Amino acid sequence: MRTRQPAARKRGIRLVSHTTDISTEGITCPAVSPRLTEWVPALLAKLQPHTERTIREYATTDPWRTSSQLLAKILPAWHHTDDPWTDDVAEAVAYTRAITTLALTYRDEPTNTLSPYHQRRYANLTDTVTSIGTGRGPVNADLGALAKGPIALHRELDDQPRALTLLLDGDAWTSLPDRRTGVRALAAIAVLADGFDVRLVASPRVRRHLSKRYPTWSECHLDLTASRDRSPHTDHAETVEAAWEAIRDLDTEPGKRRLLGNLKPEYARSYRDLTTDHAIDVAEGTISRYALDLEARDLVTIDRRGQHNTVQLTELGERAVQQCLDGNNDLVHPDQRRLDGCLTATPQQSTSTVSPRGAGGGTSTPDERVATTGDPEADADYVQWLTDPENTPDQLHERFSIVADDDAITLVDDQLHAFDDGRVAYLSHTEDDTHVVLQWGGPLATLGRLASALLSEKALSKILSPSRLGHEFEAIDDATQAYPTDRILRRGHQVGWYSDAETTYGAWRERITTVRDRLLAQVAELTGSDDTAARTNLFEDLHGLIASATQLYHAAGIDLTTTIRVPDTDALARNPTHLQDFCEFLAKTAPKQSVYGIHSGYRMLFEDRPAKLCRRLPAETAHDATMDLTMSWVVAGPTITELHDEITDTLSRELTTVREAIADGTEAAPTLEIPVVDGTTYPAIRRVIDEIAMTHDAQWTPRGRQRLVRLCLRSFGPADTSSACPYDVVASLLRALNESPTPTLAAVERAAATLPPERFRPDLTPTATKLYATLLRADGPLGRSELIEQTGISASSYDRRLSDVRDLDRVTPVQQGGHRRWATTKPTPHPKTPPVTAWLPANSDRPAPLVTYRQSTRPAGPNSPSPDRTGRDNRGGWDRHPPLSIAFKPTGDTDYTTRPMTNTNTSRQPNSHAHQLADTRDHPNTMPPTTHPTTAVATPQTRLPTGGDQ
């Protein structure tokens, strides 16, 4: 076999645009998205015939000998037995063997002429070649396999680097919710550039987006190759100075500064959105004049091609906003900003001066950041952004949104910090997902806070904006509907305060904000009042206002979730009146947020006022149809899952009586299901892990996900329970994903060890938790003095708790220099879980969810559910039901046994009022019973001739 030196011509990434003369010859890969698995296999498939021809040109006819010689060139140490293969080396070897066999054994022979055996072998070899480095190859290796396989092979064999043209999918890149997915894709492009001449085709908008969101990569690759004559490094000081010169004389123009501070480089904003943005507060005619001045300064660009002009930050404008404006859009010299950033933040003397975002606040936890609301009586807002509504959502948004179960009430046990001011509500928004976080303060106050957040100036400016809804709400029009938009909103979705005079966005917004302010003023007056009639009317108005808002969010295509935090669940449970108020709040509010197509679900099922019933569009109900919720719910508190039965019973009683026409079968209507889900159980934690894997493209195997669930249940749940706090699960997985696109079990536990001691391994004592967490985070073995110093505990505490730690599975002693030290090993696989049948009740052959009906199991009417239908039949299968405790005989290789049901809680959580028992072992061999998710179902009834219910 002849070998060649790597090509002398430089490899790398070159940006193709109208200003360059770079051609797009060679292999072309269109629609390159941020997700590797969507384009890398296609690129490798197009590269495969070229690789095969290159191998046939420089190789012998013996595939095994040829591949061995190639491996000796590209992986010199591949055959050494002293060093075990890593995953990337193993996959690169498999790739080299496969591509050589394809090139020299099968050549260009049509596959249909091969025998069945060789057809299967050809398909397997092709799959190996096209899946390398994607996380789905023979050993699920990452980009290292791509670099050591096809990249290294072409560097060795190609005289000149082969040209690869990648056409970036602009919409996929600019709308990507997770930055880490983009980082991984850009890393793959950089790896390809090590062996090929990569030509990147990207629009100016996409390039600005890449420069903003991935500045380091853009500077290293795009800026270096954009021009052969320019310097490879941008003069940062010169750029900042230019931004300051462009903006420095705006010290007397606060309106222009506010306009500039509310623009984004990633996408353009229309003039009409800017006019209605309360954060800018500039008259409609002034927006155009201000934008023209900022355009003359090269701070923004204006697109005049559409029906409405749009404005967007330039690179200089982005630099000016970042370096020359503070959080209040006031001018600050870049040197002063850098000076401030170097100083250590001093402790705040008053909570009213603390930003809820914790700027410079050190190591506050996410929950502490949320709890630090500031003082609305001073400079804080009553409705605050949980995250920046227009940038990529950070982990705080995901922490809340991933936990929510769609169209359900999810209960989450979590140790909460009470808000500094309970009147504050948080709002968070991405492209199509909005989340409200507020604290329970009684039914009337909580309704007021929810209405205030959903229809706040922030929400109307950034979420329910004119661009989202349209000047006459035409943006939410469904072309399949036979009704005009105003009738759909008014008589279908039953949006209130939307009369014939308020069909334009501006008129509706003025009316709805007037109603909002009037009702919120009444909330302040009647929260502690004994005027029952006035409070009843206010409850009805607030429910109508919130239902109208959620229907509008739903019509605009926005997923809506509300998290209600109950910091002192124990006190709530001890007070019967308060507990009843809380349960009735959920039972009366959740059903009103229901929808069936374009129809209000509450109006279809429960409304009995003739005047309201006359204002409905005709509805055709499909057989076995069910309603959706316009808003999902999460209720979080230290022991909130213990209120599962009370919430379910109250919800069931509320859904007992449907409208008479529905009850007697005269009128057909869909079924309304409102599951009450325990968000801490095995199925809930598995759903959270699956959601994160899908969102972040993590390539965990089913077995790996099962082990992750076990790790989370062991790491974030009290002893002798099969539950865990999903917020801690999300925080740990997201932190681990920052380090690796598919973190291992050990990496996830190491990330979990960074959580506060009271959240990680609550089955251990606080001292033992600190010791174990320190060992997990350590780079090597630690001795006694190092552990005492790093954990900040006393020597006596170390001596007392060392036995608790050394008994843990991953902790092992090592000898170094004649001294005993402690280290952690890789996690070992646990025995397989019992079969699904071991989780079923002893007297049943299938899971039996608790379902509340309004009738017997024989509903009447052509559109009523079939007799054997349960409320959970279409909601996810067996993994929606937690395992039940059932006796079974363990085998010799399993560590599962069962114990009698007990309410004993051995957690050290401060709000737990259960009796405390000493923990006797690290991993209790139990499968305790957990509560079933419960579905409250509203279905029609049929009257018998005798007057009774069938």
Side-chain angles (χ1 to χ4, degrees):
M1 180 184 70
R2 293 181 296 147
T3 62
R4 296 182 180 258
Q5 296 296 324
R9 181 179 174 181
K10 290 184 179 180
R11 296 168 168 86
I13 303 173
R14 291 190 287 174
L15 189 66
V16 179
S17 67
H18 66 280
T19 61
T20 64
D21 56 357
I22 303 173
S23 68
T24 56
E25 62 181 10
I27 300 173
T28 301
C29 185
V32 174
S33 75
R35 299 190 181 278
L36 288 182
T37 53
E38 294 179 357
W39 61 273
V40 170
L43 177 63
L44 292 174
K46 291 184 176 183
L47 181 64
Q48 177 184 339
H50 300 278
T51 309
E52 292 180 13
R53 284 196 296 270
T54 303
I55 290 175
R56 287 195 292 267
E57 181 180 354
Y58 296 105
T60 65
T61 58
D62 183 358
W64 187 266
R65 179 182 177 86
T66 300
S67 61
S68 298
Q69 291 175 335
L70 285 173
L71 288 170
K73 293 291 184 180
I74 63 179
L75 294 172
W78 75 282
H79 61 285
H80 292 174
T81 58
D82 297 337
D83 299 325
W85 283 357
T86 58
D87 288 347
D88 53 355
V89 171
E91 198 158 286
V93 171
Y95 168 84
T96 306
R97 297 289 194 196
I99 192 67
T100 307
T101 303
L102 289 171
L104 302 179
T105 299
Y106 296 100
R107 297 182 178 271
D108 295 326
E109 184 178 356
T111 56
N112 56 6
T113 63
L114 302 175
S115 67
Y117 165 78
H118 282 286
Q119 288 184 11
R120 290 193 299 271
R121 186 182 183 217
Y122 182 88
N124 291 335
L125 293 173
T126 302
D127 182 69
T128 298
V129 167
T130 58
S131 63
I132 182 173
T134 63
R136 299 180 178 179
V139 293
N140 300 328
D142 213 324
L143 295 177
L146 195 66
K148 296 177 181 179
I151 305 301
L153 188 64
H154 278 273
R155 283 187 64 91
E156 175 66 26
L157 298 181
D158 286 344
D159 288 324
Q160 296 292 328
R162 192 175 301 275
L164 302 180
T165 301
L166 307 181
L167 283 70
L168 298 190
D169 185 338
D171 291 338
W173 281 93
T174 55
S175 63
L176 178 66
D178 179 47
R179 181 179 180 274
R180 288 180 295 274
T181 303
V183 169
R184 189 177 176 216
L186 294 177
I189 295 175
V191 168
L192 291 173
D194 192 49
F196 299 97
D197 179 13
V198 177
R199 287 94 184 272
L200 208 62
V201 181
S203 66
R205 177 174 66 98
V206 175
R207 185 183 178 187
R208 286 194 299 269
H209 175 79
L210 295 178
S211 300
K212 164 66 177 176
R213 204 172 187 190
Y214 315 97
T216 303
W217 188 92
S218 299
E219 183 176 356
C220 291
H221 299 286
L222 299 185
D223 291 344
L224 283 175
T225 58
S227 172
R228 298 297 181 185
D229 300 326
R230 63 183 295 183
S231 171
H233 298 286
T234 302
D235 190 336
H236 178 78
E238 180 180 343
T239 304
V240 173
E241 185 63 28
W244 174 250
E245 289 298 324
I247 199 176
R248 63 184 302 174
D249 61 341
L250 294 183
D251 55 337
T252 59
E253 300 281 356
K256 292 179 183 179
R257 298 199 308 271
R258 291 196 302 271
L259 173 60
L260 191 65
N262 282 275
L263 296 176
K264 298 298 175 184
E266 295 90 353
Y267 57 88
R269 298 191 65 187
S270 67
Y271 281 8
R272 59 178 181 176
D273 277 4
L274 297 173
T275 300
T276 58
D277 192 333
H278 79 291
I280 299 176
D281 193 22
V282 173
E284 182 175 0
T286 310
I287 288 289
S288 175
R289 180 163 54 87
Y290 283 1
L292 288 173
D293 180 63
L294 295 177
E295 183 186 38
R297 298 169 183 265
D298 198 25
L299 295 173
V300 303
T301 58
I302 300 176
D303 188 347
R304 302 173 175 85
R305 292 172 296 177
Q307 182 179 0
H308 301 280
N309 289 354
T310 60
V311 59
Q312 185 174 6
L313 283 182
T314 63
E315 293 183 7
L316 183 65
E318 179 187 0
R319 182 73 66 182
V321 171
Q322 290 178 343
Q323 300 294 331
C324 306
L325 292 180
D326 63 12
N328 295 321
N329 294 319
D330 292 330
L331 281 178
V332 55
H333 195 279
D335 291 341
Q336 182 64 38
R337 177 177 288 275
R338 287 194 293 270
L339 179 62
D340 292 340
C342 296
L343 296 177
T344 302
T346 57
Q348 300 289 349
Q349 298 299 320
S350 170
T351 57
S352 65
T353 63
V354 178
S355 167
R357 242 51 67 208
T363 58
S364 61
T365 65
D367 191 67
E368 290 172 340
R369 290 174 57 195
V370 174
T372 308
T373 61
D375 184 5
E377 301 293 343
D379 57 354
D381 294 332
Y382 283 100
V383 178
Q384 302 177 14
W385 288 115
L386 183 67
T387 59
D388 189 332
E390 294 174 342
N391 281 335
T392 302
D394 65 9
Q395 294 187 359
L396 196 56
H397 177 90
E398 292 187 83
R399 180 180 188 266
F400 285 100
S401 61
I402 291 178
V403 168
D405 202 332
D406 292 341
D407 296 330
I409 299 174
T410 305
L411 307 181
V412 175
D413 286 339
D414 185 31
Q415 302 301 318
L416 303 176
H417 290 80
F419 281 1
D420 290 344
D421 194 303
R423 297 170 296 177
V424 170
Y426 286 102
L427 193 64
S428 181
H429 177 64
T430 61
E431 181 63 25
D432 53 5
D433 179 52
T434 296
H435 206 107
V436 179
V437 181
L438 47 86
Q439 185 164 291
W440 173 253
L444 190 58
T446 305
L447 275 180
R449 295 167 189 173
L450 180 57
S452 175
L454 293 175
L455 294 171
S456 63
E457 295 300 325
K458 288 181 171 62
L460 295 174
S461 298
K462 300 294 197 297
I463 307 174
L464 296 179
S465 62
S467 293
R468 168 85 65 172
L469 301 178
H471 177 66
E472 294 183 344
F473 296 88
E474 69 277 1
I476 65 174
D477 183 28
D478 187 348
T480 63
Q481 298 297 333
Y483 305 101
T485 303
D486 59 339
R487 285 181 58 83
I488 291 176
L489 291 178
R490 188 180 303 120
R491 296 181 177 251
H493 290 287
Q494 299 293 325
V495 174
W497 297 279
Y498 178 69
S499 67
D500 291 335
E502 296 148 0
T503 56
T504 63
Y505 178 87
W508 168 82
R509 177 167 174 167
E510 182 178 357
R511 175 70 186 281
I512 205 70
T513 52
T514 301
V515 173
R516 176 202 66 196
D517 295 342
R518 175 176 58 83
L519 295 182
L520 293 181
Q522 294 181 33
V523 170
E525 297 173 1
L526 299 176
T527 297
S529 173
D530 295 330
D531 189 343
T532 304
R535 286 172 58 89
T536 299
N537 291 334
L538 181 56
F539 269 117
E540 291 180 356
D541 289 343
L542 284 174
H543 273 131
L545 185 65
I546 293 171
S548 297
T550 61
Q551 290 284 344
L552 198 55
Y553 275 87
H554 177 78
I558 300 173
D559 294 330
L560 189 59
T561 305
T562 289
T563 294
I564 300 178
R565 295 158 52 93
V566 188
D568 197 349
T569 314
D570 193 20
L572 178 70
R574 289 196 307 266
N575 190 311
T577 302
H578 293 172
L579 178 58
Q580 181 181 3
D581 289 344
F582 176 74
C583 295
E584 288 187 352
F585 169 85
L586 293 173
K588 292 183 180 297
T589 307
K592 290 181 172 61
Q593 323 309 318
S594 55
V595 65
Y596 178 68
I598 62 172
H599 306 281
S600 166
Y602 188 84
R603 190 63 57 95
M604 295 181 72
L605 271 178
F606 304 106
E607 184 61 72
D608 56 5
R609 292 170 291 182
K612 297 290 186 179
L613 292 175
C614 292
R615 298 173 57 82
R616 294 185 301 159
L617 291 177
E620 295 183 2
T621 305
H623 180 64
D624 282 353
T626 58
M627 294 182 181
D628 298 320
L629 290 183
T630 57
M631 181 164 64
S632 303
W633 299 82
V634 177
V635 185
T639 54
I640 199 67
T641 56
E642 295 181 7
L643 305 182
H644 178 278
D645 293 342
E646 288 84 351
I647 296 173
T648 300
D649 293 342
T650 308
L651 181 61
S652 301
R653 288 194 298 269
E654 182 64 26
L655 299 179
T656 298
T657 306
V658 294
R659 188 169 61 255
E660 185 177 356
I662 302 294
D664 61 19
T666 304
E667 184 179 341
T671 301
L672 173 60
E673 303 177 1
I674 305 181
V676 181
V677 181
D678 186 340
T680 67
T681 59
Y682 184 104
I685 300 303
R686 175 59 186 260
R687 185 195 64 79
V688 167
I689 291 174
D690 290 343
E691 181 74 16
I692 292 176
M694 180 183 67
T695 304
H696 296 269
D697 198 24
Q699 304 299 319
W700 289 306
T701 63
R703 177 62 175 164
R705 297 188 190 191
Q706 187 181 46
R707 295 180 64 194
L708 272 177
V709 177
R710 290 177 179 166
L711 172 66
C712 293
L713 294 176
R714 186 171 66 249
S715 299
F716 309 123
D720 296 327
T721 68
S722 59
S723 62
C725 177
Y727 291 130
D728 297 332
V729 175
V730 173
S732 301
L733 291 180
L734 294 182
R735 187 166 298 181
L737 284 166
N738 280 329
E739 306 297 329
S740 170
T742 306
T744 62
L745 213 64
V748 173
E749 190 171 19
R750 186 167 57 252
T754 62
L755 295 175
E758 64 271 13
R759 288 186 171 270
F760 176 60
R761 292 304 297 260
D763 56 315
L764 303 175
T765 61
T767 299
T769 299
K770 291 179 181 178
L771 289 170
Y772 185 45
T774 301
L775 288 174
L776 289 174
R777 297 193 302 265
D779 294 330
L782 299 178
R784 182 176 186 271
S785 59
E786 295 168 313
L787 281 171
I788 292 174
E789 179 183 358
Q790 294 186 24
T791 57
I793 63 176
S794 64
S796 59
S797 296
Y798 173 87
D799 295 334
R800 285 197 309 272
R801 298 304 176 188
L802 179 61
S803 59
D804 296 338
V805 178
R806 70 187 180 191
D807 291 339
L808 300 180
D809 290 344
R810 291 191 59 190
V811 178
T812 182
V814 296
Q815 293 290 330
Q816 285 188 350
H819 299 282
R820 186 173 66 169
R821 295 174 175 266
W822 299 97
T824 54
T825 61
K826 292 183 178 180
T828 56
H830 285 262
K832 293 183 178 179
T833 56
V836 175
T837 53
W839 291 356
L840 303 184
N843 59 351
S844 174
D845 60 353
R846 59 173 294 177
L850 302 175
V851 181
T852 304
Y853 284 97
R854 305 180 176 281
Q855 57 182 50
S856 69
T857 57
R858 297 183 59 195
N863 297 306
S864 301
S866 56
D868 60 347
R869 185 179 186 275
T870 64
R872 303 288 297 174
D873 284 349
N874 63 343
R875 283 191 167 268
W878 73 269
D879 61 342
R880 294 296 298 255
H881 307 294
L884 299 177
S885 178
I886 179 171
F888 68 98
K889 184 176 180 181
T891 61
D893 59 349
T894 182
D895 62 353
Y896 288 95
T897 61
T898 58
R899 296 182 180 176
M901 182 183 296
T902 176
N903 291 326
T904 301
N905 185 353
T906 59
S907 169
R908 65 169 187 263
Q909 298 174 354
N911 288 280
S912 177
H913 55 274
H915 178 64
Q916 304 293 310
L917 292 179
D919 185 18
T920 57
R921 54 176 299 167
D922 177 51
H923 302 294
N925 294 329
T926 59
M927 288 186 64
T930 54
T931 308
H932 281 293
T934 301
T935 304
V937 183
T939 56
Q941 292 183 337
T942 301
R943 290 286 182 181
L944 296 174
T946 60
D949 291 338
Q950 178 175 325

